[in-house]
Amino acid sequence: MMKPAFFISLLFCVSSVLSQNLVRFEIRSLPNPQPAEAAIFMAGSFNRWNPQDEKFRFRQDDKGNYFIDLQLSPGQYEFKITRGGWDKVECKKDGTGIDNRVLKVETDNTVELLVEAWRDSFGETPKLTSTAGKNVHVIDTAFRINQLNRNRRIWIYLPDGYNSSKIRYPVLYLHDGQNVFDITTSYAGEWGVDECIDTMRQKCIVVAIDNGGDKRLNEYCPYDFTLQGFGGSSTSNKGEGDLYVDFLATTLKPYIDKQYRTLKNKSNTFIAGSSMGGLISMYAALKYPKVFGGAGVFSPAFWVGPKIFDDIKARGKKVMAKIYFYAGKQESESMVQDMLKAFEGMALVSKSKMTTVIRDDGKHNEPTWRNEFPLFYNWIVK
């Protein structure tokens, strides 16, 4: 995997610049030979894993040494060094990939870096083989979202025996469809949902909706929001999550129910996602309590849309659903606190069946959510 989920970047982008620390990164060793005056960049959870972000380009001092100074809020970050592309990312001396570098920021600091080799010096990167199973196919590469005036690829998983039986199945709707079934379409690793359900006694249909790329944050947040960026800058963003949820409940679900043998009632209709997908899944359960009878709220990005707590208080009473809250201690303390705040807020007003799961080793990435998915699935469908 060349680059992990960029979802975690929001965790730090929205932090207040008042609490930022100065971190200097110094490259002390580079591969030999090294292209003269080569452009070198940092790509990580602080810039959505952009491998050629000029704001994160190393500078050179009078002696030709590479360095960069960043203002970073307290927290844990992951990153890699590149020469402007994922085909030119750092790697081990033998050409094999390296794990993401991990940095925990607590105070001002200087970080020394050693780069062993560059991936492009070992020839063409091998092409990945699709991991989508035989039960997965694409419904439409350009399914119309009238509510947002956009098109989107929609995937579907049909259980073994679907075509030779008359059985009707529950339906699980998942966000970030690129990462649900197939490593070749993922930008962060895939969840292996099809392989998981293949092994389960209780089967269901899975509908995965690709995210909107640069519109992902807007579509997965139902409220207008502001992001704090590099150097103290900020940008105002239009929340489109309300319209996105309308699409799921009033356009996509009716289409799926018409075209496939589904159990249409709310007790057999679930929705789930991670990070921003966790936020919008919680909102969907609140806005459409008669449609969605279960929600998987993985590592929810409630800090982007804190008004979700107001909606929990105002709308939670009407929700009678199964809600699976998950967070990992390796994400951040605020992540766990926000998740528990949402759970406690729901518990005050709703009689929903809920559970909270906190993993000591849980990180904000696809491998972690992939490991958690079978546990969530067994809990939500039983």
Side-chain angles (χ1 to χ4, degrees), residues 6 9 35 72 98 114 127 187 218 230 318 336-337 380:
F6 61 77
S9 62
L72 297 174
I98 64 171
L114 307 177
K127 293 184 177 180
Y187 46 81
N218 306 82
F230 178 75
K318 295 182 179 180
V336 175
Q337 291 175 345
I380 203 80

Side-chain angles (χ1 to χ4, degrees), residues 174-206:
L174 289 175
H175 313 292
D176 292 310
Q178 296 98 322
N179 293 344
V180 172
F181 301 118
D182 196 346
I183 191 65
T184 65
T185 61
S186 76
Y187 46 81
E190 54 118 349
W191 286 32
V193 168
D194 48 334
E195 292 93 341
C196 172
I197 299 179
D198 281 345
T199 67
M200 296 294 181
R201 181 174 182 179
Q202 175 65 52
K203 307 295 186 182
C204 83
I205 292 171
V206 179

Side-chain angles (χ1 to χ4, degrees), residues 232-286:
S233 62
S234 62
T235 56
S236 297
N237 298 268
K238 181 68 175 178
E240 299 176 334
D242 199 59
L243 295 175
Y244 172 72
V245 167
D246 288 346
F247 160 71
L248 297 178
T250 66
T251 301
L252 184 58
K253 183 183 185 304
Y255 174 86
I256 296 298
D257 288 339
K258 182 178 180 180
Q259 298 295 324
Y260 300 93
R261 294 194 312 277
T262 67
L263 294 170
K264 301 178 183 180
N265 59 328
K266 85 165 202 174
S267 62
N268 287 289
T269 304
F270 316 119
I271 189 167
S274 59
S275 194
M276 292 296 294
L279 168 62
I280 200 63
S281 294
M282 185 72 242
Y283 183 77
L286 290 167

